[in-house]
């Protein structure tokens, strides 16, 4: 592999922190769109301070958890259902962060934490799998201290499909893409609970391009990609698809 070519391909001006990571390591641990780009996009609008306790919900192979601990000096509890804790522990130890990132194997509705334990909750490319449930915010917010932020980045839409999926996307549309929603949808979904105050809800700038770029890089350098996803994105041309980013704060005085 031409590592210099790979590093150049993965270098993104908007994500200088992520540019410092071994590009082969990033690709070897992929589980979807480049999680370093998504995590940095979220931390650009979520303030993290050294020593904070952070829940990384749906952390996959703990790449995002490692990034958060290394870049911001926070303690991270990385929770995932699909990846065993021991596998993530080894990856974390290899990065020298054994005492800073704590891997947990758990389902998103059955978390082993005390109420008000975390200073912040984040989730990259995972929250849409469980968080569209009307009641889920009420569950997950129990683990967040009052005044603490919760932030997500998920595959999303520029607008809701009032008349169904556009014809040009139908040949490539999978049933589980029904979990993709617009920033306005997510804002209303959280605001109706009156449990949080939404501080920002929008699209990650250039999200469609980042998504397509990642898939093309994976294909070019021989890593797992998805031709059907690429066809979907080509058919869309940036009109409807991207990444929704939202940040809210749990209501009540900081405690």
């Amino acid at each position: 592999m031409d590592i210099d070519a790979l590093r150049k391909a993965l270098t993104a001006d908007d994500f200088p922190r992520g540019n410092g990571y071994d590009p082969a390591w990033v690709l070897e641990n992929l589980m979807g769109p480049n999680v370093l780009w998504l995590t940095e996009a979220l931390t650009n609008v979520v303030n993290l301070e050294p020593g904070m306790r952070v829940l990384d919900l749906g952390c996959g192979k703990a790449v995002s958890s490692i990034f958060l601990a290394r870049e911001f000096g926070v303690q991270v509890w990385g929770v995932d259902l699909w990846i065993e804790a021991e596998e993530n522990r080894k990856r974390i130890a290899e990065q020298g962060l054994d005492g800073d990132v704590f891997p947990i194997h758990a389902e998103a509705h059955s978390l082993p934490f005390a109420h008000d334990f975390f200073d912040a909750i984040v989730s990259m490319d995972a929250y849409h799998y469980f968080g569209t449930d009307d009641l889920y915010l009420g569950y997950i917010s129990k683990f967040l201290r009052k005044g603490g932020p919760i932030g997500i980045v998920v595959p999303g839409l520029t607008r809701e499909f009032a008349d169904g999926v556009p014809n040009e996307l139908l040949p490539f549309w999978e049933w589980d893409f029904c979990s993709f929603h617009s920033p306005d949808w997510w804002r209303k979904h959280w605001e109706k609970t009156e449990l949080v105050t939404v501080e920002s809800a929008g699209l990650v700038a250039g999200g469609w391009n980042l998504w397509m770029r990642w898939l093309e890089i994976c294909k070019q350098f021989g890593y797992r990609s998805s031709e059907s996803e690429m066809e979907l994105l080509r058919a869309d041309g940036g009109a409807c698809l991207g990444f929704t980013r939202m940040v809210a704060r749990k209501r009540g005085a900081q405690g």
Side-chain angles (χ1 to χ4, degrees), residues 173-216:
W173 196 259
E174 302 289 342
W175 73 267
D176 54 347
F177 293 170
C178 66
S179 65
F180 296 176
H181 289 290
S182 67
D184 285 344
W185 186 94
W186 279 107
R187 176 187 287 276
K188 292 172 184 175
H189 183 60
W190 279 11
E191 283 182 338
K192 68 187 179 186
T193 68
E194 299 187 353
L195 295 171
V196 299
T197 300
V198 175
E199 295 186 334
S200 65
L203 294 167
V204 174
W208 178 92
N209 288 306
L210 292 172
W211 194 343
M212 177 62 88
R213 178 179 172 187
W214 172 252
L215 291 170
E216 291 175 340

Side-chain angles (χ1 to χ4, degrees), residues 39-60:
T39 307
E40 191 160 354
L42 185 59
T43 56
N44 284 340
V45 293
V46 174
N47 185 41
L48 298 177
E49 300 290 343
M52 289 176 68
R53 293 192 293 245
V54 178
L55 171 59
D56 184 4
L57 189 58
C59 70

Side-chain angles (χ1 to χ4, degrees), residues 15 22 45 65 68 104 201 211 219:
F15 307 117
D22 178 358
V45 293
S65 301
L68 292 167
I104 304 289
W211 194 343
K219 181 178 180 179

